[in-house]
Amino acid sequence: MAIQQAVAPGDMIHTQAVPRFYMGLTQNDLKSKEAGRPIFDDIEMLEIKWAGNTKSELHAPAKDRCDRPLRNPENNDRYYVAWKDHPDFAKAYEAFKAGQGGTVQGTPLSELPFLTEGRRAELRAINIHSAEQLASLTGAQIGKYGFGMGDLCKQAQNYLERAKGTELDVRHEREKDEMRAEMAALRTQMDMLLSGSTPAPQAAKPAPVKAKPSPFDSWDAEDIKNWIKDADPSEPEPHHKTGKAKLIEIADRVAAKLQADQSQAA
C-alpha cells in the first residue's frame, strides 16, 4: 500500500512530480515468525515529492499499482500499470536500476542563465529541479512563495518558448545542409556520367543524345529548379509553369555546360 502524507485530492499532478526510486525494507511476517525475531526483505520503493510543495510526499512499493490510469489507444479502455512501469516514472526507474539515483526530467535549473546559484538552491529546497517544473507552477503556488516567484515562472516560460524556436532553426539548417549534400553528390554523379559519354556522330539525329536517362528523372520539379539556380546563377529562372520535362532539359544543358567549362579549365 502507498504511504501518503497530506496529499489532498487534485495535488497529485504527475507533470510536477519529483520521483525517486530507492531500496526500502518490508517486514516478512512468515520469516519473522519462524525465526522468532524481526526479518526484513529488501523492496524497491518510489518516493514522490511535488514542485513547490514541501509538506506532501508519497512512498509506495515500485510494483504497486499506480493511481494514474492509462488508456488503450485501440478501444480507449482504461488500464493500470505498476508505478515503475508508468510512462511518467519509467525514466526515473531506469536511472535507479542503472545506479544513477534520481534524475531531473526536463531542463535542469543549472541551464537557466537568469538564476543565481542562491536562487537555484532555494528552488531545489521546494522540490523545483527543472525549467518545466518552474514554468508550470500554479497561481496558488506562486502566491505561496512571494519572493519573485511569479517573475521566475514567467522567465522560465519565455526560456522554453525561445528554446522551441532555436530547435526549429537548427532543424531547418540541418535540412538545408542535407539538401546541399545531395546537390553536391548529384554534381559529382553528373561529372562522372558526362566524362564517360562519347559525342554523337554529326550525321546522326539528336535522339542518341537523350538515349541515356537523365539523372534528374527521379527529381521533383522544385528540386530541379533549385539545382539549376545553384549550379548556374546566370541561367534565367524557369517560369513557374514550366513542365518537368523542360526543366530536365535545362538541367541537362547546364550540367553539360559545367562539364565543358571544367574540361577547358583543365
Side-chain angles (χ1 to χ4, degrees):
M1 296 292 293
I3 305 171
Q4 189 171 322
Q5 301 178 358
V7 180
D11 283 349
M12 294 181 63
I13 303 173
H14 288 188
T15 55
Q16 294 184 347
V18 183
R20 180 181 72 88
F21 286 89
Y22 65 96
M23 292 304 300
L25 295 174
T26 182
Q27 184 167 345
N28 188 314
D29 294 335
L30 180 60
K31 291 181 180 179
S32 298
K33 184 177 180 180
E34 292 176 349
R37 57 185 173 82
I39 301 294
F40 291 83
D41 294 331
D42 291 331
I43 183 174
E44 294 180 344
M45 296 288 294
L46 167 66
E47 172 196 76
I48 299 179
K49 296 181 180 180
W50 285 269
N53 188 336
T54 59
K55 297 181 180 180
S56 303
E57 61 184 59
L58 178 145
H59 293 262
K63 293 183 179 180
D64 274 11
R65 192 184 81 167
C66 177
D67 71 326
R68 180 67 61 87
L70 301 175
R71 287 194 178 275
N72 187 328
E74 296 181 358
N75 53 24
N76 208 34
D77 286 348
R78 299 199 312 173
Y79 66 98
Y80 292 86
V81 297
W83 290 99
K84 66 183 182 66
D85 298 323
H86 196 285
D88 289 352
F89 309 110
K91 183 178 180 181
Y93 183 72
E94 290 175 2
F96 161 70
K97 297 299 286 185
Q100 299 174 10
T103 60
V104 175
Q105 300 187 33
T107 303
L109 296 180
S110 58
E111 297 299 317
L112 301 183
F114 56 85
L115 292 178
T116 64
E117 284 303 319
R119 276 290 195 221
R120 294 187 182 105
E122 292 173 0
L123 292 171
R124 293 187 184 108
I126 56 174
N127 299 319
I128 298 175
H129 299 270
S130 70
E132 289 79 2
Q133 290 172 339
L134 179 57
S136 65
L137 291 180
T138 64
Q141 290 170 323
I142 292 174
K144 182 178 180 181
Y145 301 99
F147 49 90
M149 185 62 76
D151 292 338
L152 295 180
C153 178
K154 185 62 178 178
Q155 289 184 73
Q157 293 171 354
N158 292 339
Y159 173 89
L160 294 174
E161 285 298 321
R162 289 194 301 271
K164 289 180 181 178
T166 301
E167 179 183 0
L168 186 61
D169 291 341
V170 170
R171 185 166 66 250
H172 286 168
E173 192 61 33
R174 183 171 62 249
E175 291 173 351
K176 290 181 181 178
D177 290 340
E178 291 173 354
M179 176 63 74
R180 295 188 189 102
E182 290 178 1
M183 289 183 174
L186 176 70
R187 188 173 298 174
T188 301
Q189 181 183 2
M190 286 294 302
D191 291 343
M192 294 175 62
L193 290 174
L194 293 173
S195 63
S197 62
T198 56
Q202 293 295 325
K205 295 182 178 180
V209 178
K210 295 292 291 182
K212 291 184 179 181
S214 170
F216 299 95
D217 287 340
S218 62
W219 283 42
D220 292 332
E222 193 63 29
D223 291 339
I224 298 175
K225 288 182 181 179
N226 291 333
W227 183 87
I228 294 172
K229 183 178 180 181
D230 180 70
D232 186 3
S234 65
E235 179 71 25
E237 184 174 354
H239 191 272
H240 69 278
K241 292 185 178 181
T242 302
K244 181 178 177 180
K246 183 63 176 179
L247 290 173
I248 293 175
E249 180 182 336
I250 297 173
D252 287 338
R253 174 165 49 78
V254 171
K257 179 182 176 183
L258 290 174
Q259 180 63 28
D261 291 345
Q262 291 176 0
S263 298
Q264 291 179 1

